[in-house]
Amino acid sequence: MPHNVGMRIGLLTSGGDAPGLNAVIRGAVFSGIQVYGQEFVGFRNGWRGVIEGDIIPLGRNEIKGINKQGGTILGTSRTNPFEGRGGVERVNEVMKEHGIDAIIAIGGEGTLAAAKRLTDAGVKIVGVPKTVDNDLSATDYSFGFDTAVQIATDAMDRLRTTGDAHDRCMVAEVMGRHVGWIALHSGMAAGAHVILIPERKTSIEQICEWVTAAHDRGRAPLVVVAEGFSLDTMDDAHSERGLDAFGRPRLGGIGELIAPEIEARTGIETRATTLGHIQRGGTPSGFDRVLATRLGMAAIRTVIGERWGTMVALRGTDIVEVPFEQALGTLKTVPHERYEEARVLFG
Ligand code: F6P
């Protein structure tokens, strides 16, 4: 038996939530207790809980049935562990005080970058990738993405029936800060006539050409736009809501911006709907529950193997391990060919 059986592990969820976070927690805690006799605690609200020593017990009782629940029972925040009174010393102090041997950090790019800095300084951390946008390059899919796509697809099916009834063009804005995966997949699933993604600037003339072509065929045009999309006349993605806790512009509103332009140029009555955080809410899909549970269980095996500074990830149908440095730095954008493939169906 490995010598670190019976160790005490702290779990945290950090950054924007994604459906499946609770399933990761359950997968890790369940297998850790059951197979390795480990003990668990949860840090509340991401790295903030680490810095503040805000800790809750995490036993079999706390994880009962939570794989079906959206959100995260631990709470989350976009706190950076190196800011304020944080830093390596504080993290070590809190871990020592609570007898915590290692941390499993479930989070996106920002969370894993902080985890890497801490691991480089000797803190024992294993990562689990989390991004509803599906933009982490080291994993084929991240949990929460499938659920978000399904929610967006259902919403678009509904937009299409009301669009048809009024003979309107419907613009649906979905999440996707730097990448257009949610837009591409939900747009394709819903049979959208135009899909606009951050990776590909497009002119309003081209958009209107597709809208008009669809309308001329007797269809009520559906335009899907990712929040991070820019028209070819814009330097940056549209933002009118200030900055988030990481100092990044809060996106949203590009749909409302292009809808009147489409209406003015095509003469087709146009309405915009922003799906926003609905895409991150509610119960995870079956796919996401399974993926999240497997990632949680795999993280425990990585802890047992003492492979600190490693993230678990999905490659094909296998769960693999990837060093933090390989997981960070490059975003998984929609490849040119994938967009071209979808583009054939526009208009
Ligand atoms: O990174 C995931 C994401 O959902 C983005 O698509 C979006 O821009 C952002 O988070 C929204 O963040 P918040 O929950 O802080 O409003």
Side-chain angles (χ1 to χ4, degrees):
M1 269 217 173
H3 68 275
N4 50 3
V5 162
M7 73 199 300
R8 191 166 149 91
I9 302 168
L11 260 79
L12 66 87
T13 53
S14 164
D17 72 332
L21 282 170
N22 284 324
V24 178
I25 296 169
R26 177 175 168 275
V29 173
F30 203 123
S31 70
I33 293 175
Q34 192 93 337
V35 184
Y36 302 105
Q38 289 165 336
E39 249 185 75
F40 291 87
V41 291
F43 292 106
R44 292 190 59 234
N45 303 317
W47 295 109
R48 194 194 301 160
V50 180
I51 302 311
E52 294 177 359
D54 189 358
I55 283 158
I56 56 168
L58 211 46
R60 284 291 290 270
N61 210 34
E62 284 74 25
I63 58 155
K64 251 191 308 194
I66 63 166
N67 54 326
K68 310 170 195 62
Q69 284 171 24
T72 159
I73 60 164
L74 299 178
T76 185
S77 72
R78 295 200 192 269
T79 303
N80 181 334
F82 287 93
E83 272 169 18
R85 61 191 187 104
V88 183
E89 269 175 35
R90 178 65 189 148
V91 172
N92 279 327
E93 187 181 59
V94 170
M95 287 177 74
K96 198 168 168 209
E97 198 180 314
H98 294 272
I100 297 166
D101 304 298
I103 293 177
I104 295 179
I106 312 162
E109 180 90 4
T111 308
L112 298 172
K116 178 176 179 333
R117 258 181 92 182
L118 290 168
T119 314
D120 289 347
V123 186
K124 298 173 175 176
I125 307 179
V126 162
V128 178
K130 174 245 36 143
T131 150
V132 86
D133 290 357
N134 200 37
D135 58 3
L136 272 170
S137 59
T139 186
D140 287 356
Y141 286 101
S142 45
F143 63 84
F145 170 68
D146 181 68
T147 306
V149 168
Q150 193 55 54
I151 293 169
T153 304
D154 289 345
M156 284 172 211
D157 289 348
R158 290 173 192 277
L159 288 175
R160 291 199 69 167
T161 65
T162 169
D164 277 334
H166 289 266
D167 190 28
R168 282 173 173 157
C169 169
M170 304 304 278
V171 177
E173 182 184 306
V174 297
M175 280 186 165
R177 168 172 285 275
H178 303 292
V179 303
W181 288 110
I182 296 179
L184 185 81
H185 280 224
S186 61
M188 207 175 210
H193 303 101
V194 181
I195 300 173
L196 303 170
I197 62 174
E199 294 88 335
R200 185 70 81 95
K201 287 193 177 187
T202 308
S203 68
I204 191 72
E205 290 80 15
Q206 172 65 83
I207 297 169
C208 291
E209 210 175 283
W210 283 321
V211 165
T212 306
H215 195 250
D216 287 350
R217 291 190 294 109
R219 312 309 308 274
L222 174 67
V223 177
V224 182
V225 57
E227 60 181 0
F229 166 77
S230 310
L231 288 168
D232 61 353
T233 49
M234 296 163 63
D235 289 334
D236 297 308
H238 180 70
S239 169
E240 54 192 7
R241 297 171 183 163
L243 303 178
D244 70 12
F246 281 168
R248 304 177 310 179
R250 287 185 58 209
L251 302 183
I254 182 71
E256 291 286 356
L257 193 110
I258 61 173
E261 280 290 318
I262 294 173
E263 182 167 307
R265 287 165 184 262
T266 64
I268 303 164
E269 198 181 8
T270 304
R271 295 285 189 269
T273 302
T274 301
L275 300 183
H277 293 82
I278 287 173
Q279 294 160 95
R280 292 201 330 224
T283 56
S285 66
F287 179 90
D288 282 338
R289 292 182 206 186
V290 173
L291 174 58
T293 303
R294 291 183 72 203
L295 289 171
M297 294 195 297
I300 294 300
R301 293 194 290 276
T302 310
V303 167
I304 288 295
E306 299 192 39
R307 291 183 288 280
W308 315 119
T310 302
M311 181 187 100
V312 291
L314 181 71
R315 182 103 17 104
T317 54
D318 295 331
I319 305 291
V320 298
E321 293 181 352
V322 185
F324 283 159
E325 56 264 28
Q326 271 179 38
L328 297 165
T330 0
L331 282 180
K332 186 177 62 207
T333 49
V334 172
H336 179 75
E337 315 78 62
R338 281 297 305 274
Y339 190 71
E340 288 304 309
E341 178 188 67
R343 206 169 181 267
V344 172
L345 306 170
F346 294 180

